[in-house]
Amino acid sequence: MAKKFIDIMDTTFRDGFQSVFGGRVLMNDFFPAVEAAKTAGITHYEFGGGARFQSLYFYLREDAFEMMDKFRKIVGPEANLQTLSRGVNTVMLETGSKELIDLHAKLFKKHGTTTIRNFDALNDVENLKYSGERIAHHGLKHEVVVTMMDLPPGCHGAHTVDFYEKTLREILDSGVPYSSICFKDASGTSNPQKVFDTIKMARALVPEGTHLRLHTHETAGVSVSAYMAALEAGIDGIDMAAAPVSGGTSQPDILTMLHATKGMNYDLGGLEIDKILTYEKELQHCLSDYFMPPEATMVSPIIPFSPMPGGALTANTQMMRDNNILDKFPEVIAAMQEVVKKGGYGTSVTPVSQFYFQQALNNVMQGPWKAIAPGYGRMVLGYFGKTPVAPDPEIVKIASEKLNLVPTTDNALDLANADYSKSLENWINKLKEEELEITEENIFIAAACQEKGIAFLKGKGELNVRKISEMKKDCEGNSNMGSGNYTVVVDGQKFSVQVAEGDADIQVTAVNGESTSVPAAPAATSGDEVSIKALLPGSVWKLVANPGQSVQEGDVLLILESMKMEIDVVATRSGVVKSINVATNDKVVEGQVVAVIG
């Protein structure tokens, strides 16, 4: 009897890069490995979308559309090139309008995409309808998704086989066009028995011949067992990655699964061990200069209790490294359990996983529920759709008060359509203001990446790639110190200093937050003056108030960007702004004086 053919998607160049490097891999560094993958016989690739779309503009000074075009040219016209989309968010930071959702599908088709895997972290099918329709309208294959995870102990009401059956029935009844169905577990926490029962349920429910897939991560150590359970239950496709970006926070290695299925009645994409070995050797060479965080290659036994997706885990730990707060990571992961319990059980996958992490970070750094992360707050208030269960009423009340928003049951897409800032006209006007070329690609880059997208288009994008060779230069005392935030010790006292090229206005701040004497930005206060300090490390995103301006208690003085969050820095009392001690894009440390009110 012929073996059952299992379609293999190689996630190396999207989810693998995201899970291990936070998506920060330059295209010309990895393209030789794409050639090697093609030679090895791989024909189905995840090559873009998700967080790998924004990371190119945020950190690499590269154009995602150009990368996609070049990738297509390497693998040829017949390869199935797949991207990841977040329902009404697509690849944007926020919910998109209908115009932007349509433009996403149109551009991704134009730039070489075959299939778009389309999910909603809340499993709110309303968020999949229009996005799925536009994907199909533009001639792309639509892989609709049910998102999965195991809930922390003591949580009930969602993420059971019955819950997934309810979600799947809603998808089928909605009439949204699809070419395949994926069960996606970004945290890798779904236990193998539940995976088996879920795929068995789906196989019995969907029309005969429907292509079913499972996506998981090795983060919790059960991915191979989950795939074996899915194969036994009748799955048609699974996702795998190539070393060194396999295992750990990423997908199981291709070689691992080939070994696990030896002697069984499955043909994993016709792949051959010796050819995969050659491919992985080339990939290892391509990535040999990239710093691999140790947590990227680890399996964590606590992840099922605080489900953090592999694709977000290393991105967050790297940001914590950048902000010198990595020592807080265990506390933040522990705090996530309560955040998940009280947040309505949205699946821990982008963007909800980031909401969970940001709120857990706030709870650790500022005290439990003293500050509400904007994304988390808007989620529990209903602005992204309906959560699987109702959020904790007390948390809803706190979020409403902190964010000055009322709870809503309105459709997320309707809310976005009513927001002029999410219209094509708004982004066209912004491009005109910046004297940038008006193209569909530029409109979408600006809308998806906002200020950082505009900066990229103006040639001012940030380059932040963690390469071992560059790190060694820093350790060897390279005299050309790079711009950025550094901690120095003078007479046994720590100071945070900023280094920049040219004649820049530099802040020098003691780590405890008391600024040294700087004429342009006085940090010492006298009389009834009050120092306003940064509660988290990060960078200055926007200045709102000006020196000499009268403000009321609670007024926003400036906005920091920290850990993908916008943090409002507010006046702690009414008065007059005596000084704003930072400038846009300045790096700040926790406790640094950023403004003075008198």
Side-chain angles (χ1 to χ4, degrees):
M1 186 173 77
K3 292 184 175 183
K4 178 179 178 179
F5 183 86
I6 304 298
D7 181 73
I8 301 303
M9 181 169 76
D10 183 353
T11 59
T12 297
F13 307 105
R14 209 293 303 175
D15 207 339
F17 286 174
Q18 181 62 36
S19 297
V20 175
F21 302 116
R24 304 185 195 187
V25 183
L26 296 161
M27 70 174 89
N28 289 332
D29 286 345
F30 73 80
F31 278 159
V34 178
E35 293 272 11
K38 177 185 177 183
T39 301
I42 294 173
T43 59
H44 188 180
Y45 303 85
E46 189 179 38
F47 83 130
R52 254 295 279 183
F53 181 82
Q54 290 167 346
S55 65
L56 273 70
Y57 301 104
F58 283 15
Y59 307 116
L60 303 181
R61 293 181 186 163
E62 290 187 343
D63 181 5
F65 295 121
E66 178 187 359
M67 184 278 294
M68 292 162 67
D69 291 340
K70 290 182 175 180
F71 199 114
R72 170 59 78 185
K73 187 174 181 180
I74 292 170
V75 298
E78 301 305 317
N80 183 359
L81 295 186
Q82 188 160 320
T83 61
L84 187 65
S85 179
R86 312 177 193 118
V88 290
N89 279 60
T90 64
V91 295
M92 296 180 283
L93 293 169
E94 300 176 345
T95 305
S97 64
K98 285 188 173 182
E99 292 176 322
L100 291 173
I101 292 169
D102 178 76
L103 186 57
H104 161 260
K106 180 181 180 180
L107 289 174
F108 275 56
K109 170 66 174 179
K110 175 182 176 181
H111 291 282
T113 304
T114 310
T115 305
I116 293 182
R117 175 178 288 173
N118 186 36
F119 73 91
D120 179 65
L122 302 181
N123 278 313
D124 186 341
V125 177
E126 287 298 316
N127 288 343
L128 296 173
K129 289 180 180 179
Y130 185 76
S131 55
E133 174 197 321
R134 301 323 292 168
I135 289 167
H137 172 82
H138 286 286
L140 292 150
K141 293 181 180 179
H142 177 217
E143 185 165 282
V144 70
V145 176
V146 177
T147 57
M148 301 178 69
M149 70 175 184
D150 265 19
L151 290 173
C155 297
H156 306 282
H159 292 288
T160 62
V161 178
D162 289 344
F163 173 74
Y164 299 138
E165 179 176 354
K166 174 178 175 291
T167 304
L168 182 56
R169 286 185 181 276
E170 288 179 4
I171 289 172
L172 298 175
D173 292 344
S174 73
V176 61
Y178 65 89
S179 58
S180 55
I181 299 172
C182 176
F183 292 85
K184 176 179 173 64
D185 184 351
S187 60
T189 55
S190 294
N191 67 81
Q193 184 62 51
K194 186 174 77 171
V195 169
F196 177 85
D197 293 341
T198 298
I199 302 305
K200 272 287 190 184
M201 171 275 296
R203 181 54 70 202
L205 187 60
V206 300
E208 185 176 352
T210 300
H211 184 87
L212 297 180
R213 302 191 65 86
L214 178 67
H215 170 94
T216 191
H217 288 244
E218 179 60 7
T219 320
V222 296
S223 66
V224 174
S225 296
Y227 276 162
M228 298 303 289
L231 288 169
E232 185 180 352
I235 207 75
D236 300 304
I238 55 177
D239 298 350
M240 298 186 294
V245 294
S246 57
T249 54
S250 181
Q251 282 68 59
D253 192 85
I254 298 170
L255 292 172
T256 300
M257 286 306 302
L258 288 173
H259 181 70
T261 55
K262 277 182 181 176
M264 302 182 77
N265 196 37
Y266 306 112
D267 173 6
L268 300 191
L271 301 179
E272 301 174 19
I273 289 176
D274 59 337
K275 292 182 179 180
I276 298 300
L277 281 167
T278 301
Y279 159 37
E280 292 198 347
K281 184 178 180 180
E282 178 61 33
L283 181 65
Q284 178 77 52
H285 175 71
C286 289
L287 301 176
S288 60
D289 196 26
Y290 281 81
F291 169 68
M292 183 172 292
E295 63 272 14
T297 60
M298 296 168 60
V299 167
S300 173
I302 68 168
I303 289 298
F305 306 99
S306 299
M308 169 53 60
L313 191 151
T314 48
N316 286 323
T317 56
Q318 291 287 53
M319 284 189 289
M320 294 183 85
R321 274 191 182 88
D322 291 345
N323 289 293
N324 299 314
I325 55 171
L326 185 59
D327 61 303
K328 300 290 186 182
F329 181 70
E331 294 178 62
V332 176
I333 285 294
M336 269 189 63
Q337 185 168 341
E338 181 186 22
V339 170
V340 173
K341 282 184 176 181
K342 294 187 174 182
Y345 301 165
T347 314
S348 192
V349 60
T350 305
V352 168
S353 58
Q354 198 64 20
F355 299 162
Y356 287 154
F357 188 84
Q358 290 165 347
Q359 187 57 52
L361 180 70
N362 275 350
N363 286 358
V364 168
M365 301 295 289
Q366 304 185 53
W369 309 107
K370 297 295 184 184
I372 296 294
Y376 185 85
R378 290 174 66 84
M379 177 183 72
V380 299
L381 292 171
Y383 284 84
F384 298 120
K386 185 179 180 181
T387 54
V389 302
D392 183 277
E394 183 60 27
I395 301 304
V396 172
K397 180 182 177 183
I398 294 171
S400 182
E401 292 172 352
K402 295 286 187 183
L403 301 184
N404 195 27
L405 286 172
V406 296
T408 183
T409 57
D410 289 347
N411 183 286
L413 185 57
D414 292 339
L415 292 171
N417 273 332
D419 186 345
Y420 176 77
S421 71
K422 297 179 180 181
S423 67
L424 291 184
E425 181 182 14
N426 173 64
W427 289 105
I428 289 170
N429 287 337
K430 285 189 180 296
L431 291 177
K432 288 179 179 178
E433 290 171 10
E434 300 291 345
E435 298 182 344
L436 291 166
E437 183 180 5
I438 310 297
T439 67
E440 289 185 323
E441 285 81 358
N442 285 0
I443 293 168
F444 191 78
I445 291 167
C449 302
Q450 300 183 15
E451 284 75 13
K452 289 189 176 181
I454 296 289
F456 166 82
L457 293 173
K458 295 173 72 173
K460 298 180 179 178
E462 179 184 2
L463 181 61
N464 190 343
V465 182
R466 300 179 180 94
K467 289 195 173 186
I468 297 168
S469 58
E470 296 301 317
M471 296 166 72
K472 284 181 178 178
K473 288 179 184 178
D474 292 339
C475 291
E476 291 167 359
N478 180 13
S479 60
N480 295 319
M481 181 178 285
S483 297
N485 200 72
Y486 296 85
T487 298
V488 298
V489 179
V490 180
D491 293 333
Q493 188 176 4
K494 287 184 178 180
F495 292 88
S496 175
V497 300
Q498 295 174 36
V499 177
E501 296 180 3
D503 184 18
D505 181 15
I506 301 297
Q507 283 283 307
V508 183
T509 308
V511 171
N512 65 7
E514 299 306 319
S515 298
T516 61
S517 178
V518 179
T525 61
S526 60
D528 62 351
E529 292 180 351
V530 174
S531 294
I532 308 299
K533 300 178 181 180
L535 298 177
L536 289 172
S539 60
V540 179
W541 180 66
K542 186 178 182 179
L543 301 179
V544 178
N546 298 304
Q549 180 178 332
S550 295
V551 294
Q552 300 298 314
E553 180 180 345
D555 284 355
V556 177
L557 305 176
L558 55 103
I559 303 173
L560 299 180
E561 181 185 53
S562 179
M563 302 295 296
K564 292 187 177 179
M565 290 186 288
E566 293 176 15
I567 309 293
D568 290 344
V569 178
V570 302
T572 56
R573 52 161 253 198
S574 300
V576 175
V577 178
K578 295 294 184 181
S579 66
I580 298 292
N581 298 13
V582 290
T584 302
N585 296 325
D586 278 358
K587 301 288 186 183
V588 300
V589 297
E590 179 189 356
Q592 178 175 335
V593 175
V594 294
V596 175
I597 295 177

